[in-house]
C-alpha cells in the first residue's frame, strides 16, 4: 500500500482544532472550527474521493480519539464515503499509551512501529492513509515512510496553534503531482517526497 498523508492547514501552517471549537484546546487554543466555513463542494468532493481510495488508516492517538468520538459513534448517514471508509476499513494507531481501543477494527501499533508500518506498506492494496496526526506525520517524514502528501490549504491566518511542520526538522524536496483551487480559495496540493532539496551555490 502507498502511504499517503492528508492534512488541512491554514495559510500559516496551523492544523490544530480545525473541525470544531472544542476539538483540540491544547495550549489555550481558542480558534477551533476554522475549516468548515470555507470547506464547500469542490473540496468535499476531493476529500470524498480520497477516502474512497483508502484500504486502511494509520492514525496518531489524539486524531484516533477525535475520530472515534465523532465518526465512530455517529449513525450511518447512508451517503458518506468518509463515514463508510472510517467504519469499515482497518484502523492502525501508533501509540504507546492506548491499550483498549473502543472503535471496531482497530489495531494498536507499539514496539517497533517503523517495522510494523513497513509491513503494512508491503501489503497489496491502494492507500494506507494518515489523516491529521501531526506528530505521527513528522515522525513518518523523519523515517522516509511517506509516499504522498495531500495538503488542503484553507485561506485563513490563525496566528496561534500547532503547526504541521516544526521550526527545525528534515529538509525534503517535493514533486508536485496535482494542484487545484476551489471557489472558496481552498488550495489542494498533492506532492511526492523526492530526496533532499538542491541549494544554490
Amino acid at each position: 500500500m502507498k502511504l499517503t498523508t492528508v492534512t488541512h492547514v491554514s495559510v500559516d501552517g496551523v492544523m490544530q482544532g480545525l473541525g470544531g471549537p472544542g476539538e483540540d484546546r491544547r495550549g489555550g487554543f481558542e480558534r477551533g472550527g476554522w475549516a468548515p466555513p470555507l470547506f464547500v463542494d469542490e473540496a468535499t468532493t476531493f476529500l470524498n474521493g480520497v477516502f474512497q481510495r483508502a484500504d486502511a488508516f494509520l492514525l496518531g492517538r489524539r486524531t484516533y480519539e477525535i475520530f472515534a468520538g465523532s465518526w465512530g459513534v455517529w449513525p450511518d448517514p447512508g451517503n458518506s464515503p468518509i463515514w463508510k471508509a472510517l467504519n469499515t476499513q482497518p484502523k492502525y494507531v501508533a501509540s504507546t499509551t492506548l491499550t483498549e481501543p473502543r472503535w471496531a477494527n482497530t489495531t494498536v501499533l507499539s514496539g517497533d512501529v517503523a517495522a510494523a508500518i513497513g509491513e503494512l506498506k508491503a501489503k497489496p492494496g491502494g492507500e494506507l492513509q494518515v489523516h491529521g496526526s501531526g506528530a505521527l506525520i513528522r515522525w513518518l517524514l523523519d523515517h522516509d515512510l511517506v509516499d504522498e502528501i495531500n495538503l488542503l490549504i484553507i485561506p485563513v491566518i490563525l496566528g496561534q496553534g500547532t503547526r504541521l511542520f516544526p521550526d527545525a526538522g528534515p529538509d525534503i524536496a517535493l514533486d508536485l503531482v496535482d494542484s487545484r483551487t476551489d471557489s472558496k480559495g481552498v488550495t489542494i496540493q498533492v506532492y511526492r517526497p523526492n530526496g533532499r532539496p538542491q541549494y544554490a551555490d
Side-chain angles (χ1 to χ4, degrees):
M1 288 188 285
K2 176 171 71 172
L3 194 152
T4 63
T5 67
V6 184
T7 314
H8 301 70
V9 296
S10 65
V11 169
D12 54 338
V14 175
M15 61 179 297
Q16 183 173 356
L18 64 107
E23 182 178 293
D24 183 353
R25 311 262 326 212
R26 285 175 299 155
F29 185 65
E30 299 175 343
R31 297 172 184 172
W34 48 271
L38 294 167
F39 207 82
V40 291
D41 294 344
E42 299 101 317
T44 299
T45 298
F46 172 82
L47 203 58
N48 284 339
V50 166
F51 274 88
Q52 288 173 323
R53 299 195 305 263
D55 283 328
F57 295 97
L58 173 64
L59 303 169
R61 181 186 59 81
R62 189 176 302 276
T63 297
Y64 173 80
E65 290 179 342
I66 290 170
F67 280 12
S70 53
W71 296 102
V73 297
W74 291 335
D76 183 357
N79 61 350
S80 170
I82 298 174
W83 189 99
K84 180 179 178 183
L86 286 171
N87 283 283
T88 60
Q89 299 289 23
K91 293 167 284 290
Y92 299 91
V93 186
S95 176
T96 57
T97 57
L98 183 67
T99 55
E100 296 182 5
R102 54 187 170 141
W103 202 358
N105 210 6
T106 297
T107 301
V108 178
L109 303 179
S110 55
D112 190 343
V113 174
I117 293 171
E119 290 176 9
L120 290 174
K121 290 183 63 175
K123 290 183 177 182
E127 296 186 15
L128 173 62
Q129 292 184 358
V130 183
H131 292 261
S133 309
L136 176 60
I137 288 176
R138 291 187 287 273
W139 183 88
L140 291 166
L141 288 168
D142 283 346
H143 289 80
D144 296 319
L145 290 168
V146 176
D147 298 306
E148 190 170 276
I149 298 168
N150 293 264
L151 277 184
L152 291 89
I153 304 167
I154 315 297
V156 62
I157 295 171
L158 295 174
Q160 64 171 226
T162 302
R163 287 164 171 77
L164 174 58
F165 298 111
D167 290 338
D171 53 346
I172 303 167
L174 301 173
D175 290 336
L176 181 66
V177 177
D178 188 18
S179 178
R180 63 186 84 171
T181 305
D182 74 9
S183 61
K184 287 284 191 178
V186 175
T187 303
I188 301 165
Q189 310 278 13
V190 182
Y191 298 103
R192 289 198 187 109
N194 185 22
R196 293 194 63 206
Q198 294 182 350
Y199 297 98
D201 294 333

